[in-house]
mmCIF file of all heavy atoms in Angstrom:
data_model
loop_
_atom_site.group_PDB
_atom_site.id
_atom_site.type_symbol
_atom_site.label_atom_id
_atom_site.label_comp_id
_atom_site.label_asym_id
_atom_site.label_seq_id
_atom_site.Cartn_x
_atom_site.Cartn_y
_atom_site.Cartn_z
ATOM 1 N N ILE B 268 -38.540 -12.048 22.232
ATOM 2 C CA ILE B 268 -38.136 -13.336 22.779
ATOM 3 C C ILE B 268 -36.650 -13.476 22.487
ATOM 4 O O ILE B 268 -36.219 -13.356 21.341
ATOM 5 C CB ILE B 268 -38.925 -14.493 22.123
ATOM 6 C CG1 ILE B 268 -40.379 -14.443 22.590
ATOM 7 C CG2 ILE B 268 -38.290 -15.836 22.482
ATOM 8 C CD1 ILE B 268 -41.267 -15.511 21.974
ATOM 9 N N VAL B 269 -35.870 -13.648 23.538
ATOM 10 C CA VAL B 269 -34.432 -13.812 23.364
ATOM 11 C C VAL B 269 -34.095 -15.277 23.613
ATOM 12 O O VAL B 269 -34.344 -15.800 24.696
ATOM 13 C CB VAL B 269 -33.643 -12.900 24.328
ATOM 14 C CG1 VAL B 269 -32.147 -13.135 24.161
ATOM 15 C CG2 VAL B 269 -33.980 -11.446 24.077
ATOM 16 N N LEU B 270 -33.545 -15.909 22.597
ATOM 17 C CA LEU B 270 -33.186 -17.312 22.723
ATOM 18 C C LEU B 270 -31.669 -17.406 22.876
ATOM 19 O O LEU B 270 -30.927 -16.884 22.059
ATOM 20 C CB LEU B 270 -33.642 -18.084 21.489
ATOM 21 C CG LEU B 270 -35.145 -18.032 21.227
ATOM 22 C CD1 LEU B 270 -35.481 -18.667 19.894
ATOM 23 C CD2 LEU B 270 -35.906 -18.721 22.359
ATOM 24 N N GLY B 271 -31.251 -18.041 23.941
ATOM 25 C CA GLY B 271 -29.812 -18.134 24.207
ATOM 26 C C GLY B 271 -29.348 -19.568 24.223
ATOM 27 O O GLY B 271 -28.615 -19.977 25.112
ATOM 28 N N GLY B 272 -29.769 -20.364 23.273
ATOM 29 C CA GLY B 272 -29.331 -21.750 23.197
ATOM 30 C C GLY B 272 -30.400 -22.739 23.653
ATOM 31 O O GLY B 272 -30.102 -23.890 23.948
ATOM 32 N N GLU B 273 -31.662 -22.300 23.697
ATOM 33 C CA GLU B 273 -32.753 -23.217 23.999
ATOM 34 C C GLU B 273 -32.951 -24.180 22.816
ATOM 35 O O GLU B 273 -32.537 -23.889 21.699
ATOM 36 C CB GLU B 273 -34.066 -22.447 24.224
ATOM 37 C CG GLU B 273 -34.169 -21.737 25.561
ATOM 38 C CD GLU B 273 -33.504 -20.366 25.542
ATOM 39 O OE1 GLU B 273 -32.818 -20.048 24.552
ATOM 40 O OE2 GLU B 273 -33.670 -19.619 26.524
ATOM 41 N N THR B 274 -33.619 -25.282 23.067
ATOM 42 C CA THR B 274 -33.931 -26.165 21.949
ATOM 43 C C THR B 274 -35.017 -25.517 21.098
ATOM 44 O O THR B 274 -35.812 -24.706 21.591
ATOM 45 C CB THR B 274 -34.456 -27.535 22.424
ATOM 46 O OG1 THR B 274 -35.673 -27.328 23.125
ATOM 47 C CG2 THR B 274 -33.443 -28.230 23.332
ATOM 48 N N VAL B 275 -35.025 -25.900 19.835
ATOM 49 C CA VAL B 275 -36.039 -25.378 18.924
ATOM 50 C C VAL B 275 -37.432 -25.736 19.432
ATOM 51 O O VAL B 275 -38.354 -24.928 19.383
ATOM 52 C CB VAL B 275 -35.796 -25.920 17.496
ATOM 53 C CG1 VAL B 275 -36.984 -25.629 16.597
ATOM 54 C CG2 VAL B 275 -34.528 -25.304 16.911
ATOM 55 N N ALA B 276 -37.568 -26.959 19.973
ATOM 56 C CA ALA B 276 -38.882 -27.390 20.459
ATOM 57 C C ALA B 276 -39.390 -26.466 21.570
ATOM 58 O O ALA B 276 -40.557 -26.060 21.563
ATOM 59 C CB ALA B 276 -38.806 -28.826 20.948
ATOM 60 N N SER B 277 -38.521 -26.104 22.522
ATOM 61 C CA SER B 277 -39.003 -25.251 23.603
ATOM 62 C C SER B 277 -39.228 -23.826 23.106
ATOM 63 O O SER B 277 -40.116 -23.121 23.593
ATOM 64 C CB SER B 277 -38.060 -25.293 24.806
ATOM 65 O OG SER B 277 -36.829 -24.706 24.484
ATOM 66 N N ALA B 278 -38.438 -23.397 22.098
ATOM 67 C CA ALA B 278 -38.665 -22.070 21.523
ATOM 68 C C ALA B 278 -40.017 -22.015 20.819
ATOM 69 O O ALA B 278 -40.734 -21.015 20.904
ATOM 70 C CB ALA B 278 -37.539 -21.717 20.556
ATOM 71 N N VAL B 279 -40.374 -23.102 20.138
ATOM 72 C CA VAL B 279 -41.681 -23.172 19.476
ATOM 73 C C VAL B 279 -42.793 -23.050 20.524
ATOM 74 O O VAL B 279 -43.746 -22.279 20.360
ATOM 75 C CB VAL B 279 -41.829 -24.485 18.677
ATOM 76 C CG1 VAL B 279 -43.285 -24.728 18.293
ATOM 77 C CG2 VAL B 279 -40.959 -24.448 17.427
ATOM 78 N N ALA B 280 -42.638 -23.768 21.630
ATOM 79 C CA ALA B 280 -43.645 -23.700 22.691
ATOM 80 C C ALA B 280 -43.767 -22.277 23.227
ATOM 81 O O ALA B 280 -44.861 -21.784 23.515
ATOM 82 C CB ALA B 280 -43.271 -24.670 23.821
ATOM 83 N N GLU B 281 -42.634 -21.605 23.355
ATOM 84 C CA GLU B 281 -42.629 -20.229 23.861
ATOM 85 C C GLU B 281 -43.394 -19.312 22.900
ATOM 86 O O GLU B 281 -44.230 -18.508 23.333
ATOM 87 C CB GLU B 281 -41.179 -19.773 24.041
ATOM 88 C CG GLU B 281 -40.997 -18.432 24.712
ATOM 89 C CD GLU B 281 -41.423 -18.400 26.174
ATOM 90 O OE1 GLU B 281 -41.739 -19.474 26.743
ATOM 91 O OE2 GLU B 281 -41.478 -17.295 26.745
ATOM 92 N N PHE B 282 -43.132 -19.439 21.596
ATOM 93 C CA PHE B 282 -43.863 -18.614 20.629
ATOM 94 C C PHE B 282 -45.354 -18.897 20.687
ATOM 95 O O PHE B 282 -46.179 -17.998 20.563
ATOM 96 C CB PHE B 282 -43.328 -18.842 19.209
ATOM 97 C CG PHE B 282 -42.278 -17.840 18.836
ATOM 98 C CD1 PHE B 282 -40.948 -18.110 19.067
ATOM 99 C CD2 PHE B 282 -42.639 -16.609 18.311
ATOM 100 C CE1 PHE B 282 -39.969 -17.177 18.769
ATOM 101 C CE2 PHE B 282 -41.683 -15.665 18.006
ATOM 102 C CZ PHE B 282 -40.343 -15.954 18.232
ATOM 103 N N ASN B 283 -45.697 -20.156 20.877
ATOM 104 C CA ASN B 283 -47.109 -20.527 20.878
ATOM 105 C C ASN B 283 -47.869 -19.972 22.084
ATOM 106 O O ASN B 283 -49.086 -19.885 22.054
ATOM 107 C CB ASN B 283 -47.263 -22.044 20.781
ATOM 108 C CG ASN B 283 -46.938 -22.548 19.384
ATOM 109 O OD1 ASN B 283 -46.879 -21.755 18.438
ATOM 110 N ND2 ASN B 283 -46.713 -23.839 19.253
#
Side-chain angles (χ1 to χ4, degrees):
Chain B
I268 290 178
V269 178
L270 301 173
E273 284 84 351
T274 63
V275 168
S277 67
V279 165
E281 187 67 8
F282 266 91
N283 287 345

